[in-house]
């Protein structure tokens, strides 16, 4: 259990750092008017999909077994955090259901792919 928590923490931290760097780059490009705000919104959705897949892949690769179970656990954690944030800040959060389903699917697929990758 302790190694599972450490693996999840390392993967979440790595994904957070990559997401932070990508977000800073996109916001810098937007502030320099290289890209417009509508394009930056679409890029951010793409980055969130990529990070969901990356998080699932890293956790599946670290755990080395039970990819579907780990993916479902990650999806449950994601949904619980999402609904808590939506409850706290209901006015500012408007996310399309297709985006939520896409992120959940990519989390599960990434875990399965990470487990089945040859080590």
């Amino acid at each position: 259990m302790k190694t599972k928590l450490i693996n999840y923490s390392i993967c979440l931290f790595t994904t957070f750092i990559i997401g932070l760097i990508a977000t800073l780059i996109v916001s810098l490009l937007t502030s320099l008017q290289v890209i417009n705000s509508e394009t930056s919104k679409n890029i951010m959705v793409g980055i969130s999909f990529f990070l969901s897949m990356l998080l699932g892949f890293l956790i599946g690769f670290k755990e080395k077994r039970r990819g579907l179970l780990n993916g479902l656990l990650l999806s449950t954690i994601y949904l619980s955090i999402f609904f808590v944030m939506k409850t706290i800040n209901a006015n500012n959060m408007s996310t399309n259901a297709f985006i939520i389903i896409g992120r959940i699917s990519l989390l599960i697929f990434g875990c399965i792919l990470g487990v089945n990758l040859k080590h």
Side-chain angles (χ1 to χ4, degrees):
M1 183 69 176
K2 188 175 182 181
T3 57
K4 183 172 225 138
L5 184 63
I6 291 172
N7 286 341
Y8 273 60
S9 299
I10 290 170
C11 294
L12 281 170
F13 182 72
T14 304
T15 307
F16 177 75
I17 294 297
I18 293 171
L20 183 66
I21 292 169
T23 303
L24 289 174
I25 290 171
V26 170
S27 65
L28 179 66
L29 290 175
T30 305
S31 68
L32 294 175
Q33 297 179 349
V34 175
I35 58 176
N36 60 13
S37 63
E38 192 63 35
T39 306
S40 70
K41 288 179 187 177
N42 293 335
I43 291 172
M44 291 307 296
V45 170
I47 288 172
S48 73
F49 283 153
F50 172 73
L51 289 176
S52 296
M53 176 78 169
L54 180 68
L55 178 64
F57 178 79
L58 288 175
I59 288 180
F61 189 76
K62 287 286 227 180
E63 289 294 315
K64 297 184 178 118
R65 57 191 164 121
R66 289 184 246 145
L68 184 60
L69 183 65
N70 286 323
L72 291 174
L73 179 64
L74 274 177
S75 300
T76 306
I77 292 169
Y78 169 73
L79 282 176
S80 62
I81 291 172
F82 176 77
F83 285 129
V84 166
M85 294 298 290
K86 184 130 177 122
T87 306
I88 292 171
N89 195 6
N91 296 335
N92 293 336
M93 287 191 68
S94 60
T95 304
N96 192 350
F98 293 116
I99 293 175
I100 296 170
I101 292 170
R103 287 177 187 156
I104 290 171
S105 301
L106 286 172
L107 280 170
I108 294 171
F109 180 71
C111 278
I112 293 171
L113 188 67
V115 166
N116 290 327
L117 189 71
K118 299 284 183 201
H119 294 133

